[in-house]
C-alpha cells in the first residue's frame, strides 16, 4: 500500500518544507513514544522519529559540481538528516531553546535517484545539554543509503544569537 503524497510528492503528513511526519501506533507526531510536547529534556531521554522526502533536483550531486549526476548528494543527505533531528527534538525542548550541530560521522553507502522517496530515521538520546544521534537513511526499496552518528547541543536561542551579533565572541 502506498502512502498518499502531496503536490511535492512527499508521503505522510507533510509540512510546508516538504518533510513528512509519519503517524503510527507508536508515534504521536514527531515526538514518538518518548514524551509529551514541551516536556523539556531529561537525562537519558530517548526520542525517535523519521521524515520522508522525495529527492529533488536541488538535492542532487549536480548542485555540487558533478554535472549530470542526478542522485542524492552527500551534503543534502547530511542536511536533511540534520533537519529531521531539529524537527524531532523541537517538541521536547523548553521555550527559548534550540539545538545546534557540533559533530557528525556519515557513511554514504548507496545512491537514490532524483524523484525517489528517502526516509531519514533518527534515534536521539538527550543527556543534559548534549544530544547524541544515531541515524539511518533508507531508500524506496529499503536499501540503506547512509548511516552514522550526529552530535547536537541544546542552547539558549537568545544567548546564541547575541553571541553571533558580537564580533569575535
Amino acid at each position: 500500500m502506498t502512502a498518499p503524497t502531496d503536490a511535492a510528492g512527499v508521503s505522510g503528513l507533510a509540512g510546508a518544507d516538504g518533510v513528512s511526519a509519519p503517524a503510527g501506533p507508536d508515534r504521536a507526531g514527531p515526538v514518538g513514544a518518548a514524551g509529551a510536547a514541551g516536556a523539556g529534556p531529561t537525562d537519558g531521554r530517548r526520542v525517535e522519529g523519521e521524515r520522508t522526502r522525495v529527492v529533488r533536483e536541488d538535492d542532487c550531486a549536480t548542485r555540487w559540481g558533478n554535472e549530470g549526476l542526478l542522485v542524492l548528494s552527500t551534503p543534502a543527505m547530511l542536511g536533511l538528516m540534520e533537519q529531521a533531528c531539529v524537527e524531532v527534538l523541537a517538541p521536547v525542548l523548553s521555550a527559548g531553546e534550540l539545538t545546534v550541530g557540533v559533530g557528525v560521522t556519515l557513511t554514504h553507502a548507496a545512491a537514490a535517484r532524483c524523484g525517489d522517496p528517502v526516509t531519514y530515521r533518527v534515534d536521539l538520546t538527550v543527556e543534559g545539554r548534549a544530544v547524541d544521534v544515531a541515524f539511518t537513511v533508507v531508500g524506496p526499496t529499503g536499501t540503506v543509503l547512509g548511516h552514522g552518528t550526529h552530535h547536537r547541543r541544546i542552547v539558549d536561542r537568545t544567548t546564541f544569537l547575541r553571541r553571533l551579533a558580537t564580533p569575535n565572541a
Side-chain angles (χ1 to χ4, degrees):
M1 182 171 168
T2 304
T5 59
D6 67 6
V10 177
S11 65
L13 307 171
D17 58 5
V19 178
S20 67
D26 62 340
R27 284 199 177 85
V31 180
T42 304
D43 283 353
R45 169 180 247 176
R46 233 174 112 218
V47 183
E48 296 176 305
E50 64 182 39
R51 301 292 186 269
T52 297
R53 178 174 165 174
V54 171
V55 177
R56 300 180 217 170
E57 193 169 331
D58 205 34
D59 300 325
C60 291
T62 55
R63 181 175 181 208
W64 300 96
N66 288 314
E67 281 306 313
L69 197 54
L70 292 173
V71 296
L72 179 65
S73 70
T74 302
M77 179 184 285
L78 176 60
L80 293 166
M81 176 278 303
E82 201 167 359
Q83 183 179 19
C85 289
V86 168
E87 292 174 1
V88 169
L89 277 168
V92 299
L93 296 176
S94 296
E97 290 182 327
L98 59 87
T99 64
V100 294
V102 296
V104 68
T105 61
L106 166 65
T107 298
H108 192 155
R113 294 179 303 247
C114 191
D116 284 348
V118 174
T119 300
Y120 300 83
R121 296 181 180 145
V122 294
D123 183 353
L124 308 101
T125 304
V126 179
E127 292 283 347
R129 301 202 74 61
V131 180
D132 293 319
V133 181
F135 66 88
T136 306
V137 181
V138 181
T141 63
T143 301
V144 174
L145 305 175
H147 59 87
T149 59
H150 180 46
H151 306 285
R152 302 189 69 75
R153 193 90 173 133
I154 299 170
V155 299
D156 178 78
R157 177 185 302 272
T158 302
T159 303
F160 186 79
L161 294 174
R162 188 178 324 122
R163 286 184 182 152
L164 283 178
T166 307
N168 301 318

